[in-house]
Amino acid sequence: MSDSEWTKVDFQQFLDKYGKEIVLNNAPTIVYSKKDKEHEAYKFN
C-alpha cells in the first residue's frame, strides 16, 4: 500500500496556483448510463 499523505486544499487556491488546465487535462471521462442518453429517433416505414 502507498504511504502517501493527503492534505485537504481549498479548490479556488489550487486553481489560482496551478491553473484550470491541470484539472481539465486530468479529469476522468464522464460516462453516461443508457438511461441518461437521449432517446434515439425511430424510423417508421
Side-chain angles (χ1 to χ4, degrees), residues 2-40:
S2 177
D3 292 334
S4 299
E5 281 191 35
W6 290 81
T7 305
K8 189 172 185 175
V9 296
D10 180 55
F11 188 65
Q12 188 60 54
Q13 288 179 346
F14 181 87
L15 289 179
D16 293 343
K17 185 174 182 179
Y18 298 105
K20 63 183 175 185
E21 288 78 20
I22 191 170
V23 176
L24 296 175
N25 291 339
N26 293 292
T29 302
I30 298 174
V31 180
Y32 296 97
S33 69
K34 181 78 172 171
K35 184 179 177 183
D36 293 335
K37 291 182 180 178
E38 284 189 39
H39 296 287
E40 295 179 15

